[in-house]
Amino acid sequence: CSSDLLHHVLGYIAAGCSWQICWRAQPGSAALAMPPKSGVKADAPKDAKKGQVQQKEEYGEFLQVAALQMNMRTLSNCRIFAGVMAGCIAGLLKIEGLSGVLVFIVVTLIHSLMIFVKMGFEVTRHFPKSKDVFVSQFGGGLMSFILFWTLSYDMVHIF
């Protein structure tokens, strides 16, 4: 029973974030082209019958800026949520000092791992680098963490 509850809670937390695919757009769409690989001709003739792989090799990958901005905004909201949850946990358990910051780091990393799993282990479809899910905007929820850490600690243990 407790594992079902944990499964539902973790599913609810991870499902709250929706991610958009921001790589491999069609040439000519509203996308920003990444620079082509070195050693590839920059002025290759356009051929209507080129395959996607050949286009990717000659012109580089394409990045949809709006989708990447949406993913970064969503990741920022997830970081704030993880900070709020870590602050409540640290405050309710009467954790003080650097141990509280350790709680923030652990909760944020667990939440990042849940996002990584939700993306089907294909982070590079949603972010430029696979490490972005774990390190990008890591300090984004720090202020929310401190606020909810002190608030929950004071409400439960002082008042």
Side-chain angles (χ1 to χ4, degrees), residues 91-104:
L92 293 175
L93 296 178
K94 199 176 181 180
I95 298 175
E96 300 174 343
L98 291 177
S99 301
V101 177
L102 183 65
V103 169
F104 170 71

Side-chain angles (χ1 to χ4, degrees), residues 75-152:
L75 185 62
S76 175
N77 292 339
C78 289
R79 295 286 188 234
I80 291 171
F81 179 74
V84 168
M85 294 304 294
C88 290
I89 291 169
L92 293 175
L93 296 178
K94 199 176 181 180
I95 298 175
E96 300 174 343
L98 291 177
S99 301
V101 177
L102 183 65
V103 169
F104 170 71
I105 292 170
V106 167
V107 168
T108 304
L109 286 177
I110 289 172
H111 195 227
S112 297
L113 185 64
M114 290 171 24
I115 292 169
F116 185 71
V117 171
K118 176 156 173 48
M119 289 182 179
F121 305 103
E122 295 182 12
V123 179
T124 54
R125 294 181 70 198
H126 306 280
F127 292 100
K129 298 176 186 168
S130 59
K131 68 178 185 174
D132 285 344
V133 171
F134 295 99
V135 297
S136 179
Q137 302 180 2
F138 193 77
L142 189 60
M143 291 300 154
S144 299
F145 165 73
I146 293 171
L147 174 70
F148 279 86
W149 184 17
T150 55
L151 180 69
S152 61

Side-chain angles (χ1 to χ4, degrees), residues 50-68:
K50 285 184 186 175
Q52 292 293 332
V53 175
Q54 188 177 0
Q55 285 179 352
K56 179 180 169 184
E57 288 176 358
E58 290 184 4
Y59 300 115
E61 292 183 317
F62 288 89
L63 171 67
Q64 293 180 351
V65 178
L68 181 62

Side-chain angles (χ1 to χ4, degrees), residues 22-34 61-66:
C22 59
W23 289 101
R24 295 172 186 83
Q26 295 294 327
S29 65
L32 175 69
M34 297 298 291
E61 292 183 317
F62 288 89
L63 171 67
Q64 293 180 351
V65 178

